[in-house]
Amino acid sequence: MAEVFSKLADYFQNVPAVRYAFIVGVLIALCSSLLGVTLVLRRFSFIGDGLSHVAFGAMAVAAVVGLTDNMLLVMPVTVICAVLLLASGKNTKIKGDASVAMISVGALAIGYLLMNKFPIRGGSGNISGDVCSTLFGSTSILSLTPLDVWVTVILSLLVLVMFILFYHKIFAVTFDETFARATGTKAGLYNLIIAVIIAVVIVLAMNVVGSLLISALIIFPALSAMRVFKSFKSVTVCAACVSVCCACTGIIISIIDGTPVGSTIVAVDIAVFAVFWLIGLIKGGVRK
Amino acid sequence: MAQLTCENLTLGYEGREIISDLSFSVNSGDYLCIVGENGSGKSTLMKTILGLHSPMKGKITTGDGLKQTEIGYLPQQTLVQKDFPASVREIVISGFQGKCGLRPFYTKEEKRQALENMKKMRIDDLQKRCYRELSGGQQQRVLLARALCATKSMLLLDEPVAGLDPRVTAEMYSMISQLHKEGITVIMISHDIEAALRYATHILHIGREVFFGSKETFKRGMFLGSYSAVTGGERNG
Ligand SMILES: Nc1ncnc2c1ncn2[C@@H]1O[C@H](COP(=O)(O)OP(=O)(O)OP(=O)(O)O)[C@@H](O)[C@H]1O
Ligand SMILES: [Mg+2]
């Protein structure tokens, strides 16, 4: 065990890529878990999936067109889709979950089609390998460039600041949107802000866990926290802590064992959920 | 000037009229009871007053320094999901959100008032409890405390006693009438005509017959209304 730790410490000091992996992993885990609480409560658990598939489709288009920085295309497209899905409210013709499913599968299919039809310039030439790494995250988180890291750090700090500033408004709008509207809260504006933030987080998270596993980062910490805690604040704080711890553990395991980062983090999240579920059961049993 | 004036309101959904040409006004300090059959449009009227629904015709004006967004509101049903984690305190203080504008946090004064409103509703000992684990009556008082945070002068209550047992119902009525005595204008939807006649100063009956006026006028004209059977005894005695 001590050997493992000294090896890790050594990595941490001497390999910048390991440091980058931790910074990016922790920040993304933090942001996604904070938003997860409101998304789960709004019955929008699958928004992460839907939007990340949109981001995947956009990424495919960017790769085919040969954009050097595909963030320029992926980010706006995802933000627009998020706004359409989340901010349109309850009165749309197609119900929330159906439209999420529609956009999600559609973008996935078209993205895959494009990637096959027009092999990616500068890609590995191995289509299924490229597709696999965009879907499940790269096998190694260690390929992040300093630019990736800076973009992630700046955007996630922005997300955090926004979340803290809008925390009470997010609660009011999530708990009872009608009352909030009636008493003069600009619910539409806050829904829009939440949609934009979630899109940003998802595009960032794609680097770490890939499009298929983002939902896990968003919902597991929130669900775990909700098993045990009963107030919005405690659930939010607990979800954030759980998520950060799981991300760190997952990254450590994947560095030591060479497992894919995304799925390792998600596996840790699942284990923690099981533990919280048990704690919830025991606590509930004692109370009643 | 009246606090709330509705002129020639016509309400409905998707072109279908439910209430037509309704006019009434509420003065500061009134206690107005809105009665009428199921589906007569009481809740729709309330949503229109709150600006959640727009009238097909007519207009609503507020006066006396009251803004439309400063009306406290107790919905007929609050569909809170089974697993929503929210403590009583968090819900009550969220009543101030409309006043916050872009300010991100609640002020000390707002926290103090939230506590005071919880004391008034006798739920200050439940502060830390989870909303969904409370009884229906307790939940109703939490939402009433939230509505109090949202207003200084006018409360709109949509069937505040629905589903409560007689003892809790009486408690709820006395709390509301206490608030009324403290100077808050109350507009309440109710099916309980006896309570309406006991507490209210004005009655608005909507449905097939439309009536608006003081309680006394309503009592005198009651033989015309569909409630004569219910309160016939009181009229004779
Ligand atoms: N969102 C809606 N879309 C279309 N019609 C609606 C909608 N909400 C209510 N209605 C219709 O409007 C009419 C009035 O409804 P409303 O809820 O205002 O009645 P109410 O007087 O509050 O009844 P209750 O005593 O049962 O609460 C009903 O016929 C109802 O079917
Ligand atoms: Mg109603």
Side-chain angles (χ1 to χ4, degrees):
Chain A
M1 205 61 201
E3 193 185 316
V4 170
F5 274 115
S6 69
K7 194 166 124 192
L8 271 177
D10 185 42
Y11 272 157
F12 207 80
Q13 272 161 8
N14 302 323
V15 190
V18 172
R19 273 202 301 272
Y20 294 163
F22 271 98
I23 295 172
V24 169
V26 164
L27 283 175
I28 284 172
L30 187 61
C31 292
S32 52
S33 62
L34 290 179
L35 286 161
V37 180
T38 149
L39 290 179
V40 167
L41 291 172
R42 283 160 177 248
R43 294 287 174 268
F44 258 121
S45 297
F46 261 104
I47 196 86
D49 242 33
L51 289 180
S52 59
H53 293 181
V54 169
F56 168 78
M59 221 172 236
V61 173
V64 168
V65 178
L67 276 184
T68 38
D69 188 1
N70 53 25
M71 212 59 136
L72 289 180
L73 181 73
V74 177
M75 195 63 100
V77 169
T78 317
V79 167
I80 289 170
C81 282
V83 169
L84 290 180
L85 286 177
L86 273 175
S88 58
K90 293 167 193 153
N91 303 326
T92 42
K93 287 257 160 54
I94 301 172
K95 277 268 167 280
D97 60 336
S99 51
V100 171
M102 234 170 60
I103 291 194
S104 148
V105 194
L108 192 61
I110 290 178
Y112 186 58
L113 193 73
L114 286 176
M115 278 185 143
N116 271 279
K117 199 72 193 155
F118 311 94
I120 294 170
R121 288 173 215 174
S124 56
N126 167 5
I127 293 169
S128 57
D130 283 343
V131 171
C132 203
S133 70
T134 9
L135 288 183
F136 293 101
S138 37
T139 37
S140 156
I141 197 179
L142 303 179
S143 54
L144 293 167
T145 64
L147 180 68
D148 284 339
V149 178
W150 276 113
V151 169
T152 312
V153 168
I154 291 170
L155 286 178
S156 30
L157 287 183
L158 264 179
V159 167
L160 282 179
V161 170
M162 293 285 267
F163 185 84
I164 292 170
L165 289 183
F166 288 109
Y167 168 81
H168 289 293
K169 299 175 201 320
I170 292 177
F171 172 78
V173 172
T174 313
F175 179 73
D176 190 345
E177 187 171 332
T178 318
F179 181 88
R181 262 179 213 283
T183 51
T185 306
K186 296 191 174 48
L189 175 69
Y190 300 129
N191 282 339
L192 195 75
I193 291 175
I194 295 173
V196 172
I197 295 181
I198 193 72
V200 171
V201 171
I202 281 167
V203 173
L204 292 180
M206 277 188 78
N207 282 331
V208 182
V209 290
S211 346
L212 285 186
L213 298 177
I214 288 176
S215 281
L217 276 197
I218 293 177
I219 60 172
F220 271 114
L223 287 176
S224 304
M226 279 162 62
R227 290 308 103 195
V228 176
F229 291 95
K230 298 289 168 70
S231 77
F232 197 73
K233 197 173 186 179
S234 54
V235 165
T236 308
V237 171
C238 171
C241 296
V242 164
S243 186
V244 167
C245 294
C246 290
C248 288
T249 318
I251 294 174
I252 291 175
I253 294 177
S254 78
I255 289 176
I256 294 174
D257 262 8
T259 51
V261 190
S263 29
T264 315
I265 296 179
V266 175
V268 177
D269 269 320
I270 294 173
V272 169
F273 174 75
V275 171
F276 272 70
W277 180 71
L278 268 179
I279 297 175
L281 266 191
I282 293 165
K283 253 180 112 179
V286 169
R287 211 179 276 157
K288 270 164 204 156
Chain B
M1 195 192 165
Q3 244 180 345
L4 181 77
T5 316
C6 296
E7 288 169 276
N8 309 100
L9 278 185
T10 298
L11 309 180
Y13 293 93
E14 287 137 24
R16 196 169 52 90
E17 287 187 13
I18 291 164
I19 301 178
S20 45
D21 208 22
L22 178 70
S23 301
F24 67 94
S25 64
V26 182
N27 290 311
S28 176
D30 282 359
Y31 189 144
L32 173 70
C33 242
I34 305 180
V35 292
E37 301 87 49
N38 287 131
S40 54
K42 303 182 295 298
S43 300
T44 307
L45 174 61
M46 200 160 264
K47 285 183 189 139
T48 313
I49 294 175
L50 290 164
L52 295 169
H53 184 78
S54 39
M56 293 163 76
K57 279 194 220 113
K59 68 171 193 224
I60 296 175
T61 40
T62 54
D64 242 1
L66 180 78
K67 287 197 205 118
Q68 192 173 43
T69 54
E70 285 173 358
I71 303 176
Y73 167 52
L74 184 69
Q76 183 168 15
Q77 279 176 324
T78 308
L79 293 171
V80 177
Q81 298 146 23
K82 269 254 158 313
D83 52 354
F84 202 109
S87 69
V88 167
R89 187 176 176 279
E90 287 176 320
I91 294 172
V92 171
I93 203 162
S94 77
F96 284 114
Q97 195 48 249
K99 293 198 189 109
C100 285
L102 283 175
R103 169 161 50 85
F105 305 107
Y106 298 114
T107 61
K108 275 223 171 64
E109 175 59 17
E110 283 168 346
K111 287 178 188 159
R112 195 188 58 72
Q113 280 182 28
L115 184 65
E116 201 171 285
N117 289 335
M118 284 190 273
K119 282 193 180 132
K120 266 189 205 163
M121 292 296 113
R122 281 179 252 134
I123 47 168
D124 47 319
D125 51 333
L126 302 175
Q127 267 193 70
K128 300 241 158 60
R129 286 281 297 278
C130 174
Y131 175 78
R132 61 174 201 265
E133 288 171 354
L134 302 179
S135 77
Q138 291 169 329
Q139 291 188 342
Q140 207 68 330
R141 278 187 278 157
V142 173
L143 297 184
L144 191 52
R146 175 182 69 168
L148 277 180
C149 288
T151 188
K152 284 192 276 313
S153 47
M154 183 184 273
L155 274 180
L156 255 63
L157 313 171
D158 197 341
E159 301 193 20
V161 297
L164 305 184
D165 75 30
R167 193 180 56 84
V168 179
T169 301
E171 249 177 57
M172 195 75 183
Y173 278 135
S174 80
M175 275 178 186
I176 296 170
S177 108
Q178 183 60 38
L179 294 172
H180 175 234
K181 284 193 194 108
E182 286 168 19
I184 293 181
T185 312
V186 178
I187 302 180
M188 175 170 82
I189 293 179
S190 175
H191 287 293
D192 184 352
I193 190 74
E194 275 182 52
L197 289 176
R198 177 143 19 102
Y199 296 107
T201 60
H202 292 74
I203 305 276
L204 172 65
H205 181 277
I206 56 178
R208 267 166 290 140
E209 299 159 60
V210 176
F211 170 90
F212 171 70
S214 70
K215 171 168 74 174
E216 287 70 30
T217 327
F218 183 77
K219 273 187 183 163
R220 255 180 272 131
M222 194 111 80
F223 53 93
L224 295 170
S226 44
Y227 291 104
S228 48
V230 182
T231 36
E234 192 179 314
R235 208 156 26 87
N236 298 333

